[in-house]
Amino acid sequence: MGLPLTTILPLISMFFVSSLGIFVYFNDKKSKLNILFFLFAVVIGIWLFGTFKMFTSNTDAESIFWDRFIYAGAVFVPTLMYHFSRAFCNIKAKKFLLILGYISSVVFLLLSRTDYFVSGLFRYSWGVHTQAKFLHSIFLIEFCFFLFLSIQNFYKYYKSGALGRAKKLQAKWVFIAFSILVVMGLPAYLPAYKIGIFPFSYFSGLFFSVFLAYAILKHHLMNIRVIATEFFVGIIAFVLLVEILVSETFSQITFRSIIFLSFCFVGYLLIRSVQDEIKRRMELQRLYDEVEKLSKAKTEFLSIASHQLRTPLTAIKGYVSLVLEGTYGKLNEKTWEILDRVYKSNERLVKLINNLLNISRIESGKIELNPEDVRMEDVISDIIKELENEAKKKNLYLKWDVPKVALPKIRTDKEKIREVIFNVIDNAIKYTASGGAEITCEVLGDFLRIKIKDSGAGMTQEEISGIFKSFARGETGTKIWTGGTGLGLYVAKKFVEIQHGKIWTESEGKDKGSTFFVELPIK
Ligand code: ADP
């Protein structure tokens, strides 16, 4: 027994609409919007299934029975669509329209049982349809009225300026899907008025579902593979169901029903696990968004706080250094010493703030590079001059092995590289109790390698693996230099890496000194 295409059409549409309805429902069983959509899919499904049965009926009485079955669903289509549009577009006003809709749906449900609504049949080449009577026309007016209101809601919502980009796209596809359903679906009533056009309307459910599914897939970022699983389970279930419907003997029906039910059971379990997966993914995505938001807020806070702190600190630095230099009169030794301590503490704060600012720039991806041709020997010599005193105070040597032949200039951000080298040499002094540090600079292939070797506290392998992370301090750090923050090497590594260089350290172990290497590309 072969079913003609016209008969199968409503069944195909029904399959798509119901799959989507079930999918949406199981996606969030508590959401009002999803429940409304599910109910809407159910009444559309009743329409399509009833039509299929009406087409395949053997007697007139049977056809009329199934037609009445259709109206049991159809009378709720306009009200449920209107209700859904209100929920989707967050409309609260004019509740009376909704109440009026439901009342009229129930009234028409009762009236559709009478012969004043439909009676008798029109026969067409592709099938049959009941004949519309007086009450049917009134029903049609109500039907169109609520459909019009719904489409108007979707359109206004889509056009309203208040929506974000993703929401607006979603609203657009929902508007399109419902418009197609209305425009394609309404002519399904024509055969009731003796206009025997081929019922293309039964395609509408298919298009409607595909457009809506697209909107959901595209704008809810659900995993395509997950959806595909559901789709294939649905297709197979559908094929098995059709097999039952076209069965000819009782044993065929029994056998195929058992297969269908078993498959439904397994399919259900599969879809359930897939739903869990979606839920987990959505939760993960939500957490991820949250973390990103927090991290952004932190970076912004760091940036604002640091800027605000830097200004007064710079003023303090300026005035204190003027006082120390004797610009406002000579100071006695005690006062000078104290004020010198103030100056140094202030310097530490400035350094900390600078590092915090650097970090906020690094993390928000806003580091700016100002490359220039730099003679590395000059940079190192400058730093040595600045730190010599520190070393001397601790009785440490600071040996700078100035290269005999001038090194090639490198193109780099001078300030940033200065900060890196300064920090490493400063550390070598800080973390060395006796002996000192030796600095060399040489060309190695395409790179310039700066080596800072000290005879200080050294590091274990474990310490080495951590010191380049933010706020990471080694054991020595926490013991020897309590004022540190663990930010210096983190910032140094970032500065070197964005300029395509490398920074690393080697140490033979505790108290065996450490060697820091900084390599920068020459070109
Ligand atoms: P800070 O010095 O403020 O702690 P850094 O990021 O500059 O921050 O250094 C991180 C850690 O690396 C230090 O706490 C210290 O334990 C270790 N470290 C850095 N340089 C040396 C060095 N030359 N010798 C031994 N340990 C070092």
Side-chain angles (χ1 to χ4, degrees):
M1 177 188 125
L3 285 171
L5 180 69
T6 44
T7 321
I8 285 284
L9 262 185
L11 213 52
I12 295 176
S13 271
M14 181 195 89
F15 165 69
F16 276 93
V17 176
S18 340
S19 310
L20 190 66
I22 291 167
F23 172 75
V24 168
Y25 175 66
F26 278 103
N27 216 8
D28 185 357
K29 281 183 255 186
K30 290 195 194 80
S31 143
K32 182 181 163 193
L33 193 66
N34 291 29
I35 294 172
L36 280 172
F37 183 80
F38 174 71
L39 291 175
F40 182 70
V42 168
V43 293
I44 293 282
I46 290 176
W47 164 47
L48 293 164
F49 182 71
T51 305
F52 164 72
K53 291 302 286 181
M54 182 170 74
F55 284 176
T56 50
S57 293
N58 293 321
T59 64
D60 286 5
E62 221 181 297
S63 291
I64 293 178
F65 168 81
W66 282 111
D67 191 55
R68 293 236 155 97
F69 173 84
I70 295 174
Y71 283 105
V75 293
F76 288 102
V77 167
T79 320
L80 276 170
M81 192 196 282
Y82 178 64
H83 199 166
F84 176 80
S85 76
R86 289 174 60 102
F88 183 79
C89 312
N90 297 319
I91 296 171
K92 302 266 184 292
K94 296 195 188 147
K95 210 162 187 161
F96 71 92
L97 273 175
L98 193 61
I99 297 168
L100 182 74
Y102 278 113
I103 292 176
S104 50
S105 286
V106 173
V107 169
F108 283 119
L109 175 67
L110 298 176
L111 294 178
S112 66
R113 308 300 93 185
T114 69
D115 284 345
Y116 302 109
F117 199 82
V118 286
S119 77
L121 288 177
F122 286 126
R123 284 174 200 290
Y124 302 103
S125 58
W126 44 262
V128 294
H129 204 290
T130 47
Q131 302 183 3
K133 298 294 164 202
F134 171 66
L135 288 176
H136 192 280
S137 312
I138 298 183
F139 164 65
L140 213 53
I141 295 172
E142 183 255 8
F143 197 92
C144 292
F145 175 66
F146 279 102
L147 254 46
F148 173 76
L149 286 185
S150 313
I151 296 295
Q152 195 187 31
N153 282 345
F154 288 130
Y155 184 73
K156 276 195 186 154
Y157 184 63
Y158 156 54
K159 282 288 172 195
S160 71
L163 301 180
R165 217 182 76 87
K167 233 13 292 108
K168 194 174 172 80
L169 271 174
Q170 202 183 40
K172 178 172 147 188
W173 284 106
V174 167
F175 165 68
I176 292 176
F178 276 90
S179 302
I180 287 177
L181 184 67
V182 167
V183 173
M184 280 187 80
L186 265 183
Y189 282 118
L190 292 177
Y193 293 89
K194 218 179 170 181
I195 301 169
I197 59 153
F198 177 77
F200 283 108
S201 299
Y202 303 119
F203 261 131
S204 59
L206 174 68
F207 284 102
F208 171 70
S209 321
V210 169
F211 279 105
L212 264 193
Y214 175 76
I216 294 170
L217 288 182
K218 182 109 178 127
H219 308 303
H220 275 274
L221 305 167
M222 282 175 192
N223 193 313
I224 285 283
R225 260 181 297 176
V226 166
I227 309 281
T229 317
E230 301 193 346
F231 185 71
F232 283 116
V233 168
I235 290 254
I236 295 171
F238 174 68
V239 170
L240 293 177
L241 184 69
V242 171
E243 284 224 297
I244 300 174
L245 293 175
V246 298
S247 297
E248 277 157 359
T249 63
F250 181 72
S251 65
Q252 261 183 357
I253 294 184
T254 325
F255 180 66
R256 288 174 180 176
S257 299
I258 291 172
I259 293 191
F260 173 72
L261 290 177
S262 323
F263 179 79
C264 283
F265 178 67
V266 176
Y268 170 74
L269 292 184
L270 188 68
I271 289 177
R272 269 283 296 273
S273 71
V274 154
Q275 294 294 352
D276 286 349
E277 167 95 20
I278 291 186
K279 237 185 248 155
R280 259 197 302 273
R281 267 165 206 267
M282 297 226 284
E283 184 59 13
L284 256 171
Q285 182 65 35
R286 201 186 59 73
L287 286 177
Y288 180 77
D289 291 347
E290 198 73 9
V291 168
E292 208 171 350
K293 244 195 267 165
L294 279 177
S295 158
K296 246 196 195 147
K298 182 203 79 181
T299 308
E300 251 163 50
F301 170 76
L302 270 182
S303 160
I304 293 169
S306 318
H307 273 295
Q308 301 294 346
L309 288 169
R310 209 155 60 153
T311 325
L313 287 179
T314 317
I316 294 173
K317 180 185 160 107
Y319 287 122
V320 172
S321 83
L322 284 175
V323 176
L324 282 174
E325 282 161 17
T327 313
Y328 302 112
K330 206 164 158 39
L331 299 176
N332 67 40
E333 209 171 307
K334 189 82 199 152
T335 320
W336 192 91
E337 233 170 64
I338 299 230
L339 215 54
D340 188 47
R341 269 191 233 159
V342 171
Y343 184 83
K344 282 189 182 131
S345 297
N346 191 61
E347 281 290 272
R348 252 171 56 196
L349 264 179
V350 171
K351 220 172 118 186
L352 168 68
I353 302 290
N354 275 342
N355 271 335
L356 286 178
L357 256 179
N358 283 331
I359 285 183
S360 81
R361 280 193 204 119
I362 289 168
E363 288 179 357
S364 60
K366 280 191 210 141
I367 296 194
E368 260 177 47
L369 286 178
N370 302 306
E372 54 186 304
D373 289 330
V374 176
R375 190 185 289 283
M376 212 54 219
E377 301 101 296
D378 295 350
V379 175
I380 299 174
S381 298
D382 262 8
I383 296 172
I384 301 282
K385 236 182 257 163
E386 213 179 314
L387 286 172
E388 237 163 18
N389 256 336
E390 292 296 315
K392 229 180 250 164
K393 272 192 222 156
K394 287 182 78 177
N395 262 330
L396 300 174
Y397 62 82
L398 208 53
K399 225 156 81 191
W400 165 215
D401 214 356
V402 187
K404 312 264 164 334
V405 189
L407 297 169
K409 281 188 179 176
I410 60 168
R411 195 147 181 88
T412 185
D413 186 314
K414 189 173 172 180
E415 271 316 300
K416 296 199 171 61
I417 285 307
R418 196 192 122 82
E419 231 175 274
V420 171
I421 310 292
F422 186 97
N423 192 44
V424 175
I425 302 181
D426 190 40
N427 276 349
I429 299 171
K430 271 192 318 207
Y431 299 118
T432 302
S434 65
E438 212 180 303
I439 298 107
T440 56
C441 185
E442 57 182 340
V443 176
L444 262 176
D446 294 335
F447 287 87
L448 204 62
R449 178 187 277 189
I450 302 131
K451 188 168 127 190
I452 298 109
K453 183 176 161 59
D454 67 49
S455 59
M459 278 171 281
T460 61
Q461 281 308 313
E462 203 184 322
E463 268 181 281
I464 290 179
S465 63
I467 56 170
F468 288 102
K469 294 181 182 136
S470 70
F471 294 103
R473 308 206 61 214
E475 206 190 305
T476 345
T478 33
K479 268 195 210 136
I480 301 182
W481 185 256
T482 45
T485 55
L487 294 175
L489 289 178
Y490 170 71
V491 171
K493 188 173 160 76
K494 294 284 177 189
F495 278 0
V496 170
E497 282 176 357
I498 54 165
Q499 309 202 63
H500 312 289
K502 273 191 287 188
I503 177 168
W504 73 99
T505 179
E506 286 166 10
S507 170
E508 299 201 337
K510 276 260 162 274
D511 296 319
K512 292 196 174 136
S514 346
T515 311
F516 279 80
F517 298 90
V518 177
E519 267 188 9
L520 295 164
I522 294 173
K523 283 195 187 80

